[in-house]
Amino acid sequence: MEILFFVISVLVGVLTEGVAVKVNMAGLGIMVEIALVGAVILWNIRHNKK
């Protein structure tokens, strides 16, 4: 599961960075990737499977 999430987050970051460079917003890809990782961590904390 962690490897799948890693691949998805990298793809989201790369695709977002590609779009961001075209609209002169370099660095947006890494910000979106960090936000995605943070959202998944918070979701996992709140939906703890005990």
Side-chain angles (χ1 to χ4, degrees):
M1 188 68 174
E2 290 84 10
I3 294 174
L4 177 64
F5 176 65
F6 170 76
V7 171
I8 290 171
S9 65
V10 169
L11 287 175
V12 166
V14 169
L15 292 174
T16 306
E17 188 66 27
V19 172
V21 168
K22 290 184 181 181
V23 294
N24 200 21
M25 294 180 68
L28 185 64
I30 191 69
M31 288 188 267
V32 170
E33 191 171 352
I34 291 171
L36 175 67
V37 171
V40 170
I41 290 171
L42 287 174
W43 187 87
N44 281 329
I45 290 172
R46 290 183 181 154
H47 295 90
N48 196 1
K49 300 173 185 165
K50 284 189 175 182

